[in-house]
């Protein structure tokens, strides 16, 4: 293995990246800080292993978390290597498990043409299940059961392995078992099932497990901090004692605990795979120095981290601008004024982002932007394959290849409306349940008695007859037009034009689709013997990609999004809004174990999205969920060194939000219904929204008050010390008005 023979492949790598790329064939954990070039390291590592003869495209398994990341890696590898890389097992966890199950569907106990349920389809199945079990949604909420089932699967647990501490949980477990039985009967699998079924098959089938353990001598994992318990167990099974696992991640950017991600997998990996010390990628190529200083300082307050310190050669750059507004309307107006000013200076709107902790905070921002005629987009809207009309069209396509797909049938049996009412559908379901047959078989039986049902049966039979005889685009055209969907939306007015455009785009997607290059990975002979292969491939690809958002092209627009949605993105200028205790960190996180540390990692992610300029803002008063909230400045702002901060308003007074000194000009849009009144009600010398200091609890803000004879009962938010209720009869001498 001569490194010098790699030529230009290693050129331009810094010393940390070079050490990672050329690591010996043994386990390694790479701590890749934000903007440190981890994608380059991963792809170069793969190319270097192949070029130096340590691995072939057939002996490498590379796992990512998004199809976008997988496609980017594949594109880069194609440019690096003179050989085809299509044969490489490179994809998402779900995509690779799907490929594995297609190859070994018999061993997994699945039908050849099994279908994938996306989140919406899974919820529909659960609703149907609860109805068949006569369980009202007030007893078990469908989304609650969905979350329960997915959580158990992601933990690697079947219903038979669970214990019920109470009657409600016992019923949930019974529903889980019934759900699994229903999915097995209908030949469908949800996303979590892809992982669990693959894991169970590898665990139970020693010959199969040994085959893959010897095949993959190098396993590379991206975003390792986001792996859950089951994903890590799956990786360990595949690795066995032979493979060199190269895990790349950043524990400081682990922000998906609510999805089951376990940052503890990183320390467990170090211990179980004998990693002496992680390789740290600390050279940042995105942000200026002051932004990185702020990020390093904030995240340093977390105790449970592996530890690294980002640095840059880009210079200190501009200081972080902090604004303290009187209320959320002033804060929003500031964002409007500043983004417009930057745009006039030549900054594009699309390279500016406004971030917030929760979606509820966007209302006032959107209102201000709309009034000012500033173009904006909410990043993270409905994905293409989750749109109503698209799911309808795909349901017809699913019926074309498998009329026994009950969920697809129920979705479109009366869409568009064809006079098949709820009573008829209930009759079909009852007949299917009584006779133990599929809904399609029951529908066919009823079709001999009812003309409207018979018309639907002929439609599905016509689509089914075309499978294997016409090309995928023609079948898609038939699904869109023969079903009546296109005509239905054309007869509508207003917003339905978008739905027509989406259906036309779906046909275009079918035209451009290449089955053998899709996420539907099967052996060549399977494709040759199965006439439904192109349709199954398209449906599987759509389901796998439905969980991913592709940003649209078009008008230069300001980007609005939650901080979670901003993960993996970068912008020239970032506006981090709503930086108040209770909003960020969220009040819910403070009550959870490890919740504050995850919130601080989220703050770290937010800061490191900014390349050149970072704004941080907060409001003394904010209208949320119909109520006025009085806020204290987030502790995360206090953790930023003052040396890298430039105040656009008065200096901070402790942790209190004080009246801005340089942002007080009058503007009609800034009139706020919950602003402090001229003659505020007096509560024994105190008033709502007033800042106070307590000799024991520190600084706080009065968020509620009530008279109590000659005295008053004050509810005060003391930030880190929580919310306290104090009676002025006893506490007045301990309170100082600020």
């Amino acid at each position: 293995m001569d490194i010098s023979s790699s030529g230009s492949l290693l050129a331009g790598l810094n010393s940390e990246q070079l050490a990672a790329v050329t690591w010996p064939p043994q386990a390694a954990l790479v701590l890749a800080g934000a903007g440190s070039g981890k994608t380059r390291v991963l792809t170069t590592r793969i190319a270097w292993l192949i070029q130096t003869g340590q691995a072939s495209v057939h002996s490498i398994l590379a796992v990512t978390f998004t199809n976008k990341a997988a496609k980017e890696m594949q594109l880069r590898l194609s440019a690096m290597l003179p050989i085809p890389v299509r044969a490489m097992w490179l994809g998402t966890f779900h995509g690779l498990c799907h490929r594995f199950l297609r190859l070994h569907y018999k061993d997994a106990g699945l039908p050849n043409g099994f279908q994938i349920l996306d989140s919406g389809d899974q919820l529909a199945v659960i609703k149907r299940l609860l109805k068949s079990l006569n369980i009202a949604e007030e007893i078990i909420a469908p989304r609650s059961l969905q979350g329960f089932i997915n959580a158990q699967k992601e933990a690697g647990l079947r219903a038979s392995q669970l214990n019920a501490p109470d009657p409600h949980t016992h019923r949930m477990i019974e529903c889980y078992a019934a759900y699994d039985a229903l999915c097995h009967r209908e030949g469908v699998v949800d996303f979590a099932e892809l992982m669990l079924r693959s894991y169970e098959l590898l665990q139970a089938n020693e010959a199969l497990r040994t085959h893959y353990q010897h095949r993959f001598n190098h396993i590379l994992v991206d975003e390792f901090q986001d792996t859950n318990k089951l994903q890590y167990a799956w990786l360990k099974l595949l690795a066995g004692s032979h493979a060199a696992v190269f895990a790349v991640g950043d524990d400081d950017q682990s922000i998906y605990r609510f999805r089951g991600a376990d940052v503890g997998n990183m320390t467990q990996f170090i211990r179980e795979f004998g990693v002496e010390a992680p390789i740290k990628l600390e050279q940042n190529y995105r942000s200026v120095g002051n932004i990185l200083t702020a990020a390093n300082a904030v995240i340093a307050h977390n105790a449970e981290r592996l530890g690294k310190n980002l640095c840059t050669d880009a210079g200190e750059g501009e200081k972080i601008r902090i604004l303290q507004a009187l209320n959320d309307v002033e804060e929003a107006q500031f964002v409007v004024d500043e983004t417009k000013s930057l745009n006039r200076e030549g900054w594009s709107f699309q390279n500016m982002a406004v971030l917030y902790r929760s979606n509820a905070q966007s209302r006032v921002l959107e209102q201000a932007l709309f009034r000012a005629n500033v173009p904006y987009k909410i990043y993270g809207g409905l994905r293409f394959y989750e749109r109503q009309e698209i799911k309808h069209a795909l349901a017809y396509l699913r019926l074309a290849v498998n009329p026994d797909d009950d969920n697809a049938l129920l979705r479109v049996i009366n869409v568009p409306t064809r006079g098949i009412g709820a009573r008829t559908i209930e009759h079909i379901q009852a007949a299917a349940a009584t006779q133990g047959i599929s809904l399609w078989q029951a529908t066919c039986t009823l079709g001999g008695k009812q003309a409207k049902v018979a018309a639907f049966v002929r439609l599905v039979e016509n689509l089914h007859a075309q499978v294997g005889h016409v090309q995928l685009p023609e079948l898609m055209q038939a699904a869109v037009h023969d079903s009546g969907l296109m005509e239905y939306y054309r007869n509508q007015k207003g917003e339905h034009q978008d739905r027509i455009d989406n259906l036309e785009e779906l046909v275009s997607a079918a035209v451009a689709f290449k089955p053998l290059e899709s996420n539907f990975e099967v052996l060549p002979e399977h494709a040759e013997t199965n006439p439904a292969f192109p349709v199954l491939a398209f449906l599987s690809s759509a389901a796998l990609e439905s969980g991913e958002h592709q940003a649209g092209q078009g008008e230069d627009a300001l980007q609005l999004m939650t901080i979670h949605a901003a993960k993996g993105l970068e912008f020239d200028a970032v506006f981090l809004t709503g930086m108040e205790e209770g909003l960020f960190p969220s009040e819910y996180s403070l009550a959870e174990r490890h919740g504050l540390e995850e919130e601080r990692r989220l703050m770290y992610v937010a800061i490191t999205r900014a390349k050149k300029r970072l704004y941080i803002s907060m409001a003394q008063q904010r209208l949320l969920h119909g109520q006025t909230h009085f806020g204290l400045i987030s502790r995360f702002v206090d953790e930023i060194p003052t040396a890298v901060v430039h105040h656009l308003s008065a200096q901070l007074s402790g942790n209190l939000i004080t009246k801005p000194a340089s942002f007080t000009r009058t503007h009609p849009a800034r009139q706020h219904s919950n602003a402090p009144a001229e003659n505020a009600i007096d509560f024994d010398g105190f008033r709502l929204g007033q800042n106070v200091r307590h000799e024991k609890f520190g600084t706080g803000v009065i968020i509620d008050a009530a008279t109590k004879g000659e005295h008053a009962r004050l509810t005060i938010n003391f930030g880190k010390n929580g919310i306290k209720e104090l009676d002025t009869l006893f506490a007045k001498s301990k309170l100082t008005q600020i």
Side-chain angles (χ1 to χ4, degrees):
M1 295 179 293
D2 183 8
I3 294 179
S4 62
S5 67
S6 299
S8 61
L9 194 63
L10 305 179
L13 297 176
N14 64 39
S15 58
E16 299 165 336
Q17 293 172 332
L18 182 64
V21 168
T22 60
W23 193 254
Q26 61 193 50
L29 176 63
V30 181
L31 283 183
S36 62
K38 70 177 180 64
T39 303
R40 182 183 183 187
V41 166
L42 271 169
T43 52
T44 307
R45 167 75 173 175
I46 294 173
W48 184 75
L49 288 172
I50 294 173
Q51 193 175 85
T52 55
Q54 299 179 68
S56 70
V57 292
H58 300 285
S59 65
I60 290 177
L61 178 76
V63 191
T64 70
F65 267 84
T66 66
N67 285 318
K68 179 182 177 182
K71 289 175 182 176
E72 182 181 356
M73 287 180 63
Q74 194 170 75
L75 188 64
R76 291 193 186 192
L77 284 169
S78 297
M80 288 179 175
L81 296 169
I83 57 175
V85 295
R86 282 284 314 165
M88 186 184 301
W89 280 53
L90 190 162
T92 65
F93 278 101
H94 292 121
L96 292 174
C97 285
H98 173 243
R99 177 176 184 168
F100 174 75
L101 291 176
R102 287 293 175 191
L103 293 172
H104 307 289
Y105 66 92
K106 288 183 180 178
D107 294 316
L110 292 170
N112 186 18
F114 71 86
Q115 292 290 297
I116 303 173
L117 297 175
D118 64 16
S119 180
D121 291 331
Q122 183 190 29
L123 186 62
V125 169
I126 288 172
K127 288 180 178 178
R128 178 157 49 90
L129 172 71
L130 290 174
K131 187 174 182 179
S132 70
L133 296 175
N134 294 317
I135 299 176
E137 293 189 7
E138 292 77 14
I139 304 299
I140 295 181
R143 288 193 182 277
S144 177
L145 180 57
Q146 182 182 35
F148 176 81
I149 291 172
N150 290 340
Q152 304 314 313
K153 288 188 177 186
E154 287 169 359
L157 298 172
R158 292 291 184 188
S160 60
Q161 299 171 284
L162 299 174
N163 296 316
D166 54 71
H168 178 71
T169 305
H170 179 74
R171 183 172 286 188
M172 295 280 276
I173 294 172
E174 288 182 332
C175 289
Y176 177 14
Y179 168 81
D180 264 358
L182 186 152
C183 289
H184 178 74
R185 178 174 67 81
E186 296 184 4
V188 295
V189 296
D190 55 50
F191 272 23
E193 183 70 19
L194 289 171
M195 280 295 313
L196 181 54
R197 189 72 66 102
S198 297
Y199 173 77
E200 290 173 338
L201 179 54
L202 283 170
Q203 190 177 49
N205 193 319
E206 183 180 358
L208 203 59
R209 183 173 69 249
T210 302
H211 165 76
Y212 281 101
Q213 285 177 345
H214 283 89
R215 172 176 177 169
F216 299 125
N217 60 2
H218 285 275
I219 298 176
L220 300 93
V221 190
D222 190 15
E223 303 286 9
F224 189 71
Q225 78 280 352
D226 292 334
T227 54
N228 60 33
K229 180 179 179 181
L230 180 59
Q231 288 165 342
Y232 181 53
W234 179 81
L235 285 168
K236 286 196 295 182
L237 267 186
L238 280 175
S241 58
H242 301 86
V245 181
F246 189 83
V248 181
D250 184 2
D251 58 328
D252 291 335
Q253 295 189 75
S254 178
I255 60 173
Y256 295 121
R257 186 164 56 98
F258 64 95
R259 294 181 186 171
D262 187 354
V263 69
N265 285 345
M266 300 188 84
T267 53
Q268 194 171 340
F269 176 79
I270 291 175
R271 182 176 65 254
E272 294 181 344
F273 282 79
V275 177
E276 294 184 6
I279 306 167
K280 298 180 181 181
L281 303 185
E282 298 175 303
Q283 180 74 25
N284 178 280
Y285 295 96
R286 175 188 299 158
S287 307
V288 295
N290 284 332
I291 291 174
L292 296 182
T293 297
N296 289 332
V298 169
I299 201 63
H301 286 77
N302 271 3
E304 299 181 10
R305 58 189 294 257
L306 297 173
K308 64 181 181 310
N309 209 52
L310 296 179
C311 60
T312 182
D313 294 332
E316 293 183 354
E318 301 178 18
K319 289 188 175 182
I320 297 169
R321 293 161 166 80
I322 293 184
L323 171 81
Q324 304 167 66
L326 286 176
N327 52 53
D328 48 358
V329 175
E330 281 201 349
E331 181 189 34
Q333 190 59 44
F334 168 76
V335 172
V336 168
D337 292 344
E338 195 65 18
T339 52
K340 289 176 69 176
S341 176
L342 289 175
N343 186 250
R344 286 192 296 269
E345 293 174 13
W347 299 54
S348 66
F349 282 124
Q350 65 182 3
N351 283 323
M352 292 183 256
V354 182
L355 309 183
Y356 34 80
R357 178 63 181 85
S358 68
N359 278 310
Q361 295 168 238
S362 73
R363 184 188 64 83
V364 177
L365 289 163
E366 289 189 66
Q367 187 177 59
L369 291 166
F370 177 78
R371 286 177 175 174
N373 200 29
V374 174
Y376 70 91
K377 292 180 180 177
I378 303 291
Y379 186 92
L382 276 179
R383 303 157 181 85
F384 182 79
Y385 288 108
E386 290 181 338
R387 293 168 188 167
Q388 180 193 87
E389 63 279 12
I390 299 302
K391 291 178 73 68
H392 290 339
L394 291 181
Y396 279 108
L397 202 63
R398 285 165 57 180
L399 288 173
V401 291
N402 178 21
D404 289 321
D405 187 333
D406 288 357
N407 202 48
L409 184 143
L410 286 174
R411 182 179 187 90
V412 296
I413 190 171
N414 198 40
V415 177
T417 305
R418 51 176 58 90
I420 301 177
R423 186 170 298 180
T424 300
I425 295 173
E426 289 176 0
H427 180 68
I428 292 171
Q429 290 176 305
T434 301
Q435 300 174 47
I437 57 179
S438 70
L439 293 181
W440 168 248
Q441 292 170 311
T443 302
C444 290
T445 301
L446 187 61
K449 303 175 183 178
Q450 295 190 18
K452 293 174 181 177
V453 176
F456 175 73
V457 170
R458 287 195 299 272
L459 167 62
V460 175
E461 287 178 339
N462 180 55
L463 291 173
H464 184 63
Q466 295 181 61
V467 176
H469 298 284
V470 302
Q471 298 297 313
L472 173 63
E474 294 173 275
L475 186 61
M476 182 61 72
Q477 282 275 15
V480 168
H481 290 276
D482 295 355
S483 65
L485 281 176
M486 188 67 80
E487 182 180 0
Y488 170 75
Y489 288 118
R490 279 181 177 150
N491 290 334
Q492 304 299 312
K493 296 181 179 179
E495 64 183 35
H496 291 286
Q497 181 58 48
D498 290 337
R499 300 191 186 279
I500 294 171
D501 294 340
N502 287 334
L503 289 173
E504 291 174 345
E505 180 59 29
L506 183 62
V507 175
S508 298
V511 172
F513 184 70
K514 299 179 180 178
L516 294 176
E517 296 181 13
S518 71
N519 289 314
F520 191 111
E521 300 286 357
V522 297
L523 294 176
E525 56 266 27
H526 288 186
E528 294 173 359
T529 58
N530 188 352
F533 170 72
V535 186
L536 290 170
F538 185 82
L539 289 168
S540 295
S541 180
L544 289 168
E545 293 183 13
S546 67
E548 311 218 7
H549 176 75
Q550 303 295 330
Q553 301 295 321
E555 184 181 12
D556 180 30
L558 185 66
Q559 307 292 307
L560 272 65
M561 66 192 76
T562 64
I563 302 170
H564 279 101
K567 175 74 162 57
L569 305 177
E570 59 183 44
F571 304 91
D572 289 340
V574 168
F575 293 79
L576 181 52
T577 63
M579 289 303 302
E580 299 128 44
E581 286 288 313
L583 279 182
F584 195 22
S586 73
E587 58 182 329
Y588 305 107
S589 69
L590 300 178
E592 298 177 352
R593 185 169 178 263
H594 304 306
L596 181 59
E597 293 223 341
E598 175 127 341
E599 289 288 287
R600 189 173 279 110
R601 292 195 291 268
L602 193 58
M603 178 66 173
Y604 176 82
V605 167
I607 293 174
T608 54
R609 297 312 94 197
K611 297 165 65 176
K612 300 176 182 178
R613 189 177 291 187
L614 175 62
Y615 296 84
I616 295 177
S617 61
M618 65 286 297
Q620 183 172 359
Q621 294 183 352
R622 186 176 300 277
L623 191 63
L624 285 174
H625 311 298
Q627 296 182 341
T628 300
H629 291 249
F630 299 94
L632 293 176
I633 289 177
S634 168
R635 69 191 73 193
F636 299 152
V637 178
D638 192 47
E639 292 169 359
I640 298 174
T642 57
V644 301
V645 166
H646 170 63
H647 291 279
L648 300 177
S649 52
Q651 292 292 322
L652 303 183
S653 175
N655 268 351
L656 297 170
I657 296 178
T658 57
K659 184 175 181 179
S662 60
F663 190 66
T664 56
R665 58 190 184 277
T666 305
H667 192 286
R670 297 201 186 98
Q671 294 175 1
H672 204 299
S673 60
N674 64 341
E678 288 283 339
N679 301 312
I681 298 176
D682 185 275
F683 297 94
D684 197 13
F686 297 91
R687 65 183 185 278
L688 285 177
Q690 185 176 31
N691 298 322
V692 295
R693 181 177 288 109
H694 189 276
E695 62 182 37
K696 178 181 179 181
F697 303 124
T699 55
V701 60
I702 300 174
I703 61 175
D704 197 9
T707 56
K708 189 177 181 183
E710 296 180 0
H711 305 286
R713 187 75 172 175
L714 306 178
T715 303
I716 306 175
N717 184 350
F718 287 105
K720 299 176 184 178
N721 291 317
I723 296 175
K724 311 292 182 183
E725 289 190 356
L726 303 176
D727 194 319
T728 58
L729 176 63
F730 308 104
K732 193 170 184 179
S733 62
K734 300 178 182 180
L735 283 172
T736 304
Q737 301 182 33
I738 301 175

